DNA sequence: TCTATATAGTTCGTATACGAAGGAGTTTAA
DNA sequence: TTAAACTCCTTCGTATACGAACTATATAGA
């Protein structure tokens, strides 16, 4: 990953893709011991933020396509990370909950994310960290 | 894409993923009329930078896994965007070249990328643009 | 109340990603 | 020179992504 052409392309599409690619790959390695993928970890964090969200709410919260979410939830149910509870009032809804297996690892898993974030920003000053996050949030929320 | 929780997560892994997701989705729409995917466009830009690279060189240059590259090149050959030329001296090598079909669209396709980049950075000042790119390049090249 | 519309999830098809293993060709070293 | 080590590329398996079509359910409005 270290050897970019000397003039790292002056292209935001490329820079964002490769910065994400690297952060994703590093975090992926950290999660291997847990048997979790990055996306599955994200789903758990989302549910710990607000337990019992429906699949639609979760997708909205985490900016995930419903088709993508449907697949990952199926695998997470099979692996025992989450449970789907049908709603009595509205039979279309599925309320998603983390399992005990997941909750037991909550502290460790959140710690892993913090470690990953520190690793990404280890060479940045406090001011730069704040600015960087603001820039990214602006890109995401723009329009 | 606009409705993040008010406190956009203070998590770099998430911010990088979603900023990339948005940039990728926007550029994807721009490329639909050409029948090109984002990755296929990237491959063409790589070859225009240095025509005739081997698959390995191209993957190294664009930071692409060889397995990913093998698949996309196969589809691009099939669609007539690139050609593979075996090397006479080293029979393991495949020299990749853009087709006339691709070269005819070169100006337009490069313009599309520029438009996409401008869109991403439209709300940033000159100083912020430079800083943002430096931050991303630092993340990519770190270590 | 009954139909048009809208929403929640699933499923399908295609295209990345990428670890792992494999086949073919090349280099290195004893 | 020849076997071990390397390199290039392909193939396979699994997991995202996401547009599109589909089923089931709910709600709005005539």
């Amino acid at each position: 990953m270290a050897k970019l052409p000397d003039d790292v392309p002056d292209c935001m599409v490329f820079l964002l893709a490769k910065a994400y690619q690297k952060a994703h790959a590093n975090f992926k390695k950290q999660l291997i011991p847990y048997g979790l993928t990055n996306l599955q970890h994200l789903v758990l964090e989302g549910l710990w933020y607000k337990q019992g969200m429906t699949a639609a709410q979760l997708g909205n919260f985490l900016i995930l396509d419903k088709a993508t979410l449907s697949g990952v939830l199926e695998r997470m149910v099979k692996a025992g990370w989450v449970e789907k509870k049908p709603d009595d009032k509205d039979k279309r809804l599925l309320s998603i909950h983390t399992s005990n297996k997941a909750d037991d690892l909550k502290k460790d898993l959140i710690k892993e994310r913090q470690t990953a974030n520190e690793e990404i920003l280890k060479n940045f000053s406090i001011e730069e960290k704040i600015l960087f996050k603001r820039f990214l949030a602006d890109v995401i929320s723009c329009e």
Side-chain angles (χ1 to χ4, degrees), chain A:
Chain A
M1 186 75 85
K3 45 190 140 133
L4 281 178
D6 282 347
D7 55 331
V8 173
D10 189 46
C11 169
M12 286 301 295
V13 174
F14 182 80
L15 291 169
L16 284 169
K18 296 310 166 181
Y20 159 70
Q21 187 182 43
K22 177 160 187 179
H24 186 270
N26 285 340
F27 194 33
K28 182 179 180 180
K29 286 179 191 165
Q30 282 181 242
L31 292 177
I32 289 177
Y34 300 92
L36 277 172
T37 65
N38 303 51
L39 181 58
Q40 290 169 0
H41 178 281
L42 179 63
V43 166
L44 290 181
E45 294 254 14
L47 292 174
W48 283 325
Y49 180 87
K50 187 171 169 55
Q51 195 75 232
M53 280 191 279
T54 66
Q57 290 172 328
L58 191 56
N60 202 53
F61 183 65
L62 299 176
I63 315 177
L64 291 172
D65 186 86
K66 60 186 176 183
T68 302
L69 198 47
S70 183
V72 72
L73 287 178
E74 182 197 346
R75 287 184 288 277
M76 290 182 78
V77 167
K78 192 177 300 178
W81 295 111
V82 301
E83 295 160 22
K84 295 178 179 177
K85 299 181 181 175
D87 188 302
D88 292 330
K89 299 175 183 175
D90 190 333
K91 295 179 182 174
R92 293 171 305 178
L93 307 183
L94 283 180
S95 177
I96 316 293
H97 297 261
T98 54
S99 67
N100 291 333
K101 169 183 173 181
D103 292 340
D104 289 344
L105 290 171
K106 180 174 178 180
K107 277 203 175 77
D108 291 333
L109 289 173
I110 290 179
K111 183 65 184 172
E112 293 293 348
R113 174 172 56 76
Q114 292 170 339
T115 301
N117 285 326
E118 287 165 12
E119 174 65 20
I120 295 169
L121 294 175
K122 67 178 179 184
N123 291 323
F124 290 74
S125 70
I126 307 279
E127 296 75 22
E128 288 174 332
K129 289 177 186 176
I130 294 173
L131 211 48
F132 197 0
K133 290 175 184 174
R134 208 200 73 204
F135 289 167
L136 290 169
D138 284 352
V139 168
I140 298 169
S141 299
C142 165
E143 259 147 323

